[in-house]
Amino acid sequence: MRQQRWGKVKVIGLVLLTYVFAKFQGGFASWFLFYSSLVVFVYELFTYFLLFTSLDVVREIDRNRLQDGDDVIVTIRLRRRFWFPLGWNMVLEPLPDRLAGVYEPHRQLVFPWFKREVEFRYVIPNLPRGYYRLGDCVVSGGDFFGFIERRKVFPLSHEFLVYPTYQNVEHWAMGDGSFSGNVHVSHRRSDDVAAVRGVRDYHRGDRLSQIHWRASARGTGLKTKEFEHQAMNQAVFFLDVEKASYQKQPDALFETAVKLTASLIAYANRNQYHYGLVYKQSERMSIAPALSHAHFLHVFDQLARVMPQGSDSFSRIVGREALEQPPGVTLILVTPNVEKELMKRLIALSQKGRRIQLFLVHADTAPSPEQKRALQLLSANKVSCTSIHIGETEWKRMGGVVG
């Protein structure tokens, strides 16, 4: 701001100085200097008022859904309704808060000349999982002599999510009939042609949607569809996001927990199993089991946003949320901490006939003796337990084996 003010004073002072010099000195050379300074003054005046007149900034990102490690390409366009070749622009692009200490904000010097639209691109590389927001764009501009410099903030906002990467799990115990969490469907779907076993005579109280109109048209009376007994696999994932669980642990431990959860959800989605997600960060997040592409994206949206910042105890969340799940749903827990309260709740749920699978993620080479004893006790009470080391790169076969 000080440079701008003194720049204007210098221009005005130059005009006044040359005018006084021409008045006292006279002659062609002195008046030539005055008129030359007057031309500079007019140029500075035009630059000051027209530099941002009709200037518009447009930002585009190539994708708003990425995967961990991907690059995002940002396109910036400076548009004018009329050309203004007598100045320059410096575009300063902000960085999301999570990347502020990793990369420098992008700066681009632009000379528009006679172009009404100037475009450039830049790349933010190797993005880690998370939610990102690009805020306001700051554009500076000035004249070629350095007397005037102005700055304008263009309110822009672009958001994008970086999904966690997941591995292709080839086999998981959830997929077989013994540990799939079969939930019997209380209703029969009349639009599921593959589930129709046969036809029978119409009985009073049968719904119109269950009538087999083609068989009824043969003239033997109304016929009703008979369906196969339907069941579907359902699982609810409980992700531990309690802050205390990850204290004094490497940052990669939570990323391993998220990546493991994403891999198992991808397996369930690929094998047509209904799945849900539960965690509590600042607010409770509970996604009921379902199966669709939109549901898959919704779950992964939350996995991209989640951070280990929860304040509530994971054991209390499991105890409270498990009561809201139907009896046949398999409960999948991903946590780095198997404490006594959690063990008590899991054993109590298992004794009530709930199907539970626990995944323990750990940073040490092997689980500690306390963790091993906890896993063995849980396994003895019909809780399937699996330990996952932070350094494991492939999870081909997942099962209830204590590591």
Side-chain angles (χ1 to χ4, degrees):
M1 213 49 201
R2 183 177 299 175
Q3 291 180 355
Q4 297 177 19
R5 183 170 63 250
W6 285 112
K8 299 172 190 176
V9 171
K10 289 178 181 178
V11 173
I12 297 173
L14 177 65
V15 175
L16 293 177
L17 183 62
T18 54
Y19 176 75
V20 172
F21 178 73
K23 271 291 189 180
F24 283 95
Q25 181 68 24
F28 173 78
S30 57
W31 285 105
F32 178 79
L33 288 176
F34 167 70
Y35 288 118
S36 298
S37 64
L38 199 60
V39 171
V40 173
F41 176 77
V42 173
Y43 161 67
E44 298 292 341
L45 200 63
F46 270 94
T47 303
Y48 183 82
F49 287 105
L50 299 180
L51 190 62
F52 290 112
T53 302
S54 76
L55 178 64
D56 189 23
V57 179
V58 178
R59 179 199 290 142
E60 296 177 358
I61 57 176
D62 61 336
R63 292 170 293 171
N64 57 7
R65 296 293 185 276
L66 302 94
Q67 272 202 324
D68 186 9
D70 286 352
D71 303 339
V72 63
I73 301 175
V74 184
T75 302
I76 301 294
R77 292 187 179 92
L78 303 181
R79 294 175 176 172
R80 299 178 185 273
R81 288 195 295 269
F82 57 88
W83 52 264
F84 181 73
L86 304 178
W88 55 267
N89 291 114
M90 173 68 78
V91 182
L92 175 62
E93 272 285 276
L95 279 174
D97 294 337
R98 290 188 61 193
L99 301 178
V102 181
Y103 303 112
E104 290 290 333
H106 183 80
R107 291 178 172 83
Q108 185 77 30
L109 181 61
V110 176
F111 293 96
W113 301 119
F114 292 94
K115 298 178 182 178
R116 293 188 179 181
E117 180 174 315
V118 179
E119 175 183 308
F120 65 88
R121 293 180 175 88
Y122 69 94
V123 178
I124 304 177
N126 196 24
L127 288 167
R129 179 196 64 85
Y131 161 77
Y132 298 93
R133 177 182 175 274
L134 294 177
D136 299 340
C137 179
V138 180
V139 180
S140 302
D143 64 302
F144 293 131
F145 298 108
F147 289 120
I148 294 176
E149 182 176 343
R150 294 185 62 190
R151 180 176 176 271
K152 185 175 181 180
V153 178
F154 290 85
L156 300 176
S157 179
H158 288 80
E159 301 175 351
F160 58 93
L161 291 172
V162 180
Y163 289 161
T165 55
Y166 59 87
Q167 298 182 14
N168 291 324
V169 178
E170 295 178 355
H171 174 75
W172 180 22
M174 179 187 169
D176 62 34
S178 62
F179 196 77
S180 58
N182 291 329
V183 177
H184 298 291
V185 183
S186 59
H187 64 279
R188 293 171 176 175
R189 293 183 56 191
S190 58
D191 58 346
D192 191 353
V193 178
V196 177
R197 183 177 62 186
V199 295
R200 59 171 174 81
D201 292 334
Y202 173 81
H203 297 299
R204 185 176 180 179
D206 289 343
R207 294 181 299 175
L208 291 177
S209 59
Q210 292 179 333
I211 296 177
H212 198 300
W213 296 105
R214 183 175 297 179
S216 302
R218 296 172 183 169
T220 57
L222 289 176
K223 301 294 181 181
T224 303
K225 302 173 187 175
E226 278 193 320
F227 298 91
E228 295 285 351
H229 185 71
Q230 293 184 0
M232 59 183 176
N233 295 302
Q234 288 192 353
V236 174
F237 292 83
F238 289 81
L239 178 61
D240 187 356
V241 300
E242 185 183 356
K243 188 175 182 180
S245 299
Y246 298 92
Q247 286 181 344
K248 299 180 181 180
Q249 298 287 351
D251 295 339
L253 185 64
F254 182 72
E255 296 303 320
T256 301
V258 175
K259 185 177 181 180
L260 173 62
T261 306
S263 301
L264 297 178
I265 287 176
Y267 177 90
N269 184 76
R270 189 168 61 249
N271 289 274
Q272 304 294 303
Y273 303 144
H274 290 226
Y275 53 90
L277 177 66
V278 173
Y279 67 84
K280 185 177 181 182
Q281 194 169 310
S282 57
E283 297 180 357
R284 172 180 178 266
M285 173 56 61
S286 179
I287 303 176
L291 179 64
S292 67
H293 182 65
H295 180 73
F296 180 78
L297 293 179
H298 180 41
V299 171
F300 264 68
D301 281 355
Q302 301 307 318
L303 290 179
R305 296 173 181 269
V306 67
M307 298 298 291
Q309 298 173 351
S311 57
D312 287 10
S313 170
F314 181 60
S315 61
R316 286 200 298 269
I317 294 172
V318 171
R320 182 172 60 247
E321 297 290 341
L323 298 177
E324 300 185 9
Q325 306 301 327
V329 172
T330 302
L331 308 180
I332 313 296
L333 284 73
V334 180
T335 177
N337 184 24
V338 186
E339 41 94 12
K340 292 183 179 180
E341 187 63 29
L342 179 61
M343 291 174 57
K344 291 179 182 179
R345 293 184 185 274
L346 295 183
I347 292 174
L349 289 170
S350 179
Q351 290 174 349
K352 293 178 181 179
R354 305 304 297 262
R355 299 177 184 269
I356 305 172
Q357 186 165 4
L358 174 71
F359 288 91
L360 175 68
V361 292
H362 55 91
D364 297 329
T365 306
S368 65
E370 293 79 8
Q371 290 176 332
K372 285 186 177 180
R373 285 193 294 268
L375 296 181
Q376 290 170 358
L377 180 59
L378 290 173
S379 298
N381 286 272
K382 298 182 180 180
V383 176
S384 179
C385 300
T386 305
S387 65
I388 301 295
H389 182 246
I390 192 175
E392 292 185 31
T393 57
E394 291 188 358
W395 307 316
K396 293 297 184 182
R397 302 179 68 84
M398 307 298 294
V401 180
V402 179

